[in-house]
Amino acid sequence: MQRLYGRLIKPVLLTWATMGFMGAQLPVQASIQSLQFFNGDIEPWIRMQSQRSISLLIKNIHPEGSAPGAVVASPSRVNPDYWFHWTRDAALVMQIFVSGYANSKTPEQKNYTTSLLRNYLNFSHANQLTPNPSGGVGEPKFNVDGSAFTGPWGRPQNDGPALRALTFLHWAATLIAEGRINFVREYLYDGQSPSRTVIKADLDYVASRWNEPDFDLWEEVKGRHFHTRMVQRRALLEGARLAELLGDTQTAEWYRLNALTLSRELLRHWNPERRILIANLDVMAGHAVKTSGLDTSVILGVLQGEVGDPFFAPTSDQVVSTAFSLQRAFYNLYSVNRLNDYPGIGIGRYPEDRYDGYQTNGSGNPWFLTTLAFAQYYFRLANLWEKAPGILVSEWNYPLLQYVAEDASFVVGTKIEKGCEDFNKILTGLRKAGDSFLLRVRMHMDQQNGFMSEQFNRDSGFMQGAEHLTWSYASFLTAVWERAKVPTRSLLQRPNTFRK
Ligand code: NOJ
Ligand code: NOJ
């Protein structure tokens, strides 16, 4: 039934034309899609698309013509040219294999993920030592043979070293649990200064440079960024734990101290009038205009930067309020979201985006990875609230709670106790909302083969931008693993528990 829609959404286009929606824009506070839409079982499709995503993702690791360990952002070499190893994309993609390593069930799986991770480690180590225009480990991308990319670019991008450190820190957590601490000392964290190992070289850089302005993850704005700072904070806190375990207590203290100051700076990103977290502060260069103040990078920062404490936690009022404002804005902005009552909302980078996947004077579109981040966000909310003693309904989280549990009876100020009817309605509604974003993505991908590019058109729904974007495939897996409650092993958690 669902296959009818395919990539081709002719029925959608017809409705659209006849309803005269062309060019019209609803006011931002306008309605939002209802969740009362589907009952089908999407699990068989999730299983199939997971397999496909893994195979397609693997094709972009060390493809012909690249060095071992290189992860190309996309096989596309012209219009756009994404044939590079981006530090950020690679770290998020390789986290998939860190989880694969931790959860591998056969020796073959373990050997395979080990070899991928070792190649990535060698390539990353070489990147760190390669002289580049940033003059440090914040260089955003390298040529696929590992040589420096010397063209003009928005640099440095300091989320890269933090994300790379996190991926290796999570691998280290499993290696330590397996008793392989010597490997960790030798290749990942040597406790030397200057360091010859990847994690420590990245963390030393983050600890000393986090307050310097840099370019954001979208590579457009120079300033200080919520996403970058959230992942830096997490990297420093997890890094401090590793340093401590390995007896490097002074460094551990230094990382913690910086995480603390950085946290204080992060508070500045909350805008109480707009009730949203602002992505970019102290903007001093770049070309993105963000009059709405909204940016999905905030949600990515929360998901990638969560350490299990209450600080801008996914369930916090500030984050919930930001997420719902984003979702409503994109619902109203992209006509494809309002056609034919198809479930889910396509989410873009930020409403004023003009990068259409080829050039920057077009109009921005929903992206696969941001839409999938919303799926993951809803699953994460469900998983976290499920373990909470109750949910306190506030002015800030009310719109989202009401959205997922339309027929519930709570009002602002209610404490919804664990296990009561409204509590269960919310949990079910959150998971249903998460699934709606998965279904949205399914509608716009190539359903025959499971291909995903970077974006899908805001009006027609057709895919555009870099083909086979590696990060799109990784985001699918990250989202559905959250749905299935697959844990990410980290040094801040007790092993074998889900986000304790
Ligand atoms: C490519 C970047 O990766 C993208 O984020 C940006 O929007 C465009 N260039 C325009 O700068
Ligand atoms: C553009 C995106 O904005 C950026 O985040 C990404 O790293 C590059 N494309 C490569 O995928």
Side-chain angles (χ1 to χ4, degrees), residues 73 82 86 88-89 217-219 349 367 454 469 471:
Y82 273 37
W86 261 270
R88 161 185 43 259
D89 297 44
L217 82 166
W218 306 137
E219 314 188 287
R349 297 195 298 182
W367 284 37
E454 183 181 72
L469 190 83
W471 190 359

Side-chain angles (χ1 to χ4, degrees), residues 216 218 220-222 274 278-280 283 285-295 330 333 349-355 360 364 458:
D216 71 327
W218 306 137
E220 297 180 326
V221 180
K222 188 172 187 183
R274 293 183 172 194
I278 305 290
N280 319 109
V283 174
H287 60 252
V289 180
K290 296 181 192 172
T291 42
S292 68
L294 292 166
D295 191 322
F330 288 121
L333 182 62
R349 297 195 298 182
Y350 52 94
E352 303 82 357
D353 197 356
R354 300 198 57 191
Y355 176 57
T360 40
R458 56 157 73 190

Side-chain angles (χ1 to χ4, degrees), residues 225-290:
H225 317 292
F226 181 83
H227 165 267
T228 304
R229 286 176 150 174
M230 286 294 282
V231 297
Q232 290 178 330
R233 174 179 186 267
R234 180 177 181 190
L236 289 172
L237 289 173
E238 295 197 9
R241 183 82 191 107
L242 178 65
E244 195 173 65
L245 280 173
L246 299 177
D248 189 4
T249 47
Q250 271 193 346
T251 307
E253 267 174 47
W254 181 53
Y255 289 167
R256 275 209 189 98
L257 193 71
N258 277 285
L260 208 73
T261 348
L262 193 161
S263 305
R264 209 159 49 219
E265 286 296 308
L266 263 164
L267 296 174
R268 290 175 45 216
H269 289 260
W270 172 242
N271 182 319
E273 285 84 48
R274 293 183 172 194
R275 299 188 171 194
I276 53 175
L277 285 155
I278 305 290
N280 319 109
L281 297 181
D282 312 332
V283 174
M284 55 195 69
H287 60 252
V289 180
K290 296 181 192 172

Side-chain angles (χ1 to χ4, degrees), residues 165-234:
L166 280 167
T167 295
F168 286 118
L169 278 161
H170 297 155
W171 190 27
T174 304
L175 289 167
I176 289 174
E178 291 173 343
R180 301 191 54 207
I181 202 155
N182 290 335
F183 179 89
V184 175
R185 273 187 209 284
E186 192 165 343
Y187 297 105
L188 299 174
Y189 189 98
D190 60 2
Q192 304 295 310
S193 209
S195 172
R196 294 169 296 99
T197 51
V198 177
I199 294 180
K200 186 153 193 296
D202 277 338
L203 293 180
D204 286 354
Y205 174 88
V206 171
S208 44
R209 310 275 275 270
W210 61 264
N211 207 23
E212 287 174 19
D214 68 333
F215 277 82
D216 71 327
L217 82 166
W218 306 137
E219 314 188 287
E220 297 180 326
V221 180
K222 188 172 187 183
R224 297 196 170 87
H225 317 292
F226 181 83
H227 165 267
T228 304
R229 286 176 150 174
M230 286 294 282
V231 297
Q232 290 178 330
R233 174 179 186 267
R234 180 177 181 190

Side-chain angles (χ1 to χ4, degrees), residues 5 51 65 132 156 163 231 238 262 281 299 311 381 392 430:
Y5 283 90
Q51 289 301 323
N132 63 66
L163 290 167
V231 297
E238 295 197 9
L262 193 161
L281 297 181
I299 304 306
F311 189 81
L381 282 181
L392 194 59
L430 289 167

Side-chain angles (χ1 to χ4, degrees), residues 395-455:
E395 264 177 86
W396 320 82
N397 65 21
Y398 180 77
L400 182 139
L401 292 175
Q402 218 259 327
Y403 170 70
V404 299
E406 270 171 275
D407 59 342
S409 55
F410 55 77
V411 291
V412 170
T414 318
K415 169 139 194 257
I416 306 173
E417 301 291 340
K418 188 191 203 89
C420 76
E421 204 187 322
D422 280 357
F423 186 89
N424 296 335
K425 272 185 187 160
I426 289 173
L427 290 192
T428 311
L430 289 167
R431 299 211 157 95
K432 205 164 162 177
D435 283 350
S436 77
F437 289 96
L438 295 179
L439 289 169
R440 172 56 61 173
V441 155
R442 171 161 88 165
M443 181 195 191
H444 300 284
M445 67 171 60
D446 174 332
Q447 293 192 29
Q448 287 298 313
N449 306 294
F451 298 164
M452 279 184 268
S453 58
E454 183 181 72
Q455 325 186 355

